[in-house]
Amino acid sequence: MHSDTERCVRAVQSRDARFDGWFFTAVLTTGIYCRPSCPVAPPKARNMRFYPSAAAAQQAGFRACKRCRPDASPGSPQWNERADLVGRAMRLIADGVVDNGGVPALAARLGYSVRQVERQLRAELGAGPLALARAQRAQTARVLIETSALPMTEVAMASGFGSIRTFNDTVREVFGLNPTDLRRRAAAPVRPVAAGLTVRLPFRAPFTPSNVFGHLVATAVPGVEEWRAGTYRRTLRLPNGPGVVALSPRPDHVRCDLSLSDLRDLSVAISRCRRLLDLDADPIAIDELLARDPVLAPLVLADPGRRVPHTVDGDEMAVRAVLGQQVSTQAARTHAGRLVQAHGTPVTDPDGGLTHLFPDVAALAELDPERLAFPRSRRTTLTSLVAALPGIDLSPGGDWHAAREDLAALPGIGPWTVETIAMRALGDPDAFVATDLGIRVAAGHLGLPTAPAALTKYAAPWRPWRSYAVQYLWATGDHPINALPGNEDR
């Protein structure tokens, strides 16, 4: 979008928050870059330059605006919609792959050469993977500077900078202030790191939290997830150690309270929480297309901005999808809870009732299928899936089509399981569970075809947003996944 100058100028002049994250506006006369909704008086059009990423604006010599904080805007919805190299690369960069393994690790995960990855990212985003990762590190540093009392040396290391000098230079270059001055300007008082970190997760309005939080809580695995005092809490398996996150919906953001065993995981944890709640979606574009269908239009108008509940771990979601085959939500929770108690990694949670990390593939490889309390055919399906998961990429950068093919080749994995995993683990916005009982019941109530093939044909105009259509169809039923739970402990 950044190349459509006229459209970008209109968005800036109207301070249109819908375009935050889509592009960044650099102002030649001030040397700063802003989000489109910046509250200051818009500059003259001839003084504006537009960039597709914060990293590109930074590389061009502009620093971040202190008023609108463009580095903290919602991410571009493109990266969660696209299955091409650039989209996959951006999701992996957000998941910390470059910080933890460098550009060669990113290229290896994508199946391309370093040169190809560099060339395509620079051509489309105006910055290479190192610059994009650097922009992410700068934002992580800002969060730690403004919300914790950590010494600056520890902030630098936790943010992924190799030296305190590089950290200082980057903060001054990006924010126009040295780290000490940036902390001094912080509106909120800093807290000891032992108290945890609190960050605001912005989203594009409208946002209907009932379906995404309702779904996560209704399907919560005991010991791994819980609803407590109006907050969804769960454990996280992160690159450098375990963590616990508490997510609470607010009118204009989601409050995110993080307790991490290693602060180097901060940016990855934030990225996974944003992905879990689908906060980078573009609800205006999605709802506009779905509302063209006269059957869906009343559902969209009643509760606009529904999101797709995703996951923080693709392998975990695949296992849970198999456990949920042809059983009730409660039965699936029970099966998963037993698996967690037997094979999960224990964690300490002084603030609640979380007890374990969901077992990883290595731990699940040791399970005894004879101890599983469900039919033999599903035991075979589960053990076959666990054996195959090391060779199936269900990470944010996974190839949606290749993963579907690999999953469908396993015994007992049918269309419902494949599309459920594609929707929630891979994040494909066009996954469609036409065989789901709840979808077929909803279709019948709305006068739509109920046979999977006929319903899939009818739903063709909903592409590429059929995963979101699923959320609106599910909303017609009386099920806990559709309601934001009360404030009682669960």
Side-chain angles (χ1 to χ4, degrees), residues 124-457:
E124 187 157 342
L125 294 167
L130 286 176
L132 293 162
R134 174 179 177 269
Q136 181 170 288
R137 286 196 294 272
Q139 166 59 6
T140 302
R142 183 173 194 161
V143 170
L144 290 172
I145 290 168
E146 295 183 339
T147 63
S148 79
L150 280 175
M152 293 302 174
T153 302
E154 294 185 37
V155 171
M157 298 300 107
S159 304
F161 290 96
S163 70
I164 190 68
R165 179 177 179 178
T166 303
F167 163 72
N168 287 330
D169 290 345
T170 300
V171 171
R172 278 195 297 266
E173 180 182 338
V174 173
F175 303 115
L177 293 168
N178 63 44
T180 302
D181 289 338
L182 191 61
R183 175 167 284 175
R184 190 177 296 122
R185 285 172 56 96
V190 296
R191 299 182 302 172
V193 72
L197 295 168
T198 299
V199 297
R200 293 161 60 101
L201 305 183
F203 53 74
R204 291 178 183 83
F207 176 56
T208 298
S210 57
N211 88 290
V212 65
F213 280 94
H215 199 117
L216 292 173
V217 176
T219 60
V221 177
V224 175
E225 303 165 284
E226 69 172 359
W227 177 260
R228 181 179 292 270
T231 297
Y232 167 77
R233 307 177 72 249
R234 72 154 292 150
T235 58
L236 300 171
R237 185 185 301 278
L238 298 166
N240 297 293
V244 172
V245 63
L247 299 166
S248 312
R250 298 289 187 266
D252 62 348
H253 69 278
V254 173
R255 173 175 167 142
C256 175
D257 294 295
L258 285 161
S259 176
L260 304 174
S261 57
D262 192 317
L263 285 175
R264 290 176 296 172
D265 290 324
L266 177 61
S267 64
V268 174
I270 291 174
S271 174
R272 292 184 183 179
C273 290
R274 293 193 63 82
R275 181 174 171 81
L276 174 70
L277 301 179
D278 197 18
L279 296 183
D280 290 329
D282 183 357
I284 300 294
I286 294 166
D287 289 352
E288 181 182 2
L289 184 143
L290 296 180
R292 295 175 189 171
D293 188 315
V295 176
L296 291 184
L299 306 178
V300 173
L301 293 174
D303 288 303
R306 287 184 174 270
R307 302 300 207 267
V308 176
H310 290 146
T311 185
V312 295
D313 187 303
D315 291 345
E316 172 189 321
M317 182 50 60
V319 170
R320 291 172 62 172
V322 169
L323 296 178
Q325 290 178 338
Q326 299 178 346
V327 298
S328 67
T329 300
Q330 184 56 48
R333 294 182 66 221
T334 299
H335 289 315
R338 291 171 179 165
L339 213 60
V340 165
Q341 291 297 320
H343 301 282
T345 303
V347 296
T348 300
D349 175 27
D351 297 326
L354 303 179
T355 59
H356 290 79
L357 296 172
F358 196 89
D360 60 13
V361 173
L364 290 175
E366 300 176 359
L367 66 84
D368 179 2
E370 298 301 321
R371 298 175 66 99
L372 301 175
F374 39 82
R376 184 171 298 276
S377 60
R378 199 167 311 142
R379 299 180 202 170
T380 301
T381 300
L382 180 59
T383 54
S384 298
L385 172 69
V386 170
L389 279 176
I392 303 176
D393 188 357
L394 300 180
S395 74
D399 184 316
W400 298 344
H401 305 295
R404 274 183 167 92
E405 292 177 358
D406 292 340
L407 290 167
L410 299 176
I413 302 287
W416 180 88
T417 307
V418 170
E419 291 304 299
T420 296
I421 295 171
M423 178 170 62
R424 299 198 58 195
L426 293 168
D428 184 351
D430 199 41
F432 190 55
V433 284
T435 57
D436 181 78
L437 178 60
I439 295 300
R440 297 177 67 182
V441 170
H445 288 163
L446 296 171
L448 301 178
T450 57
L455 183 57
T456 300
K457 182 178 180 180

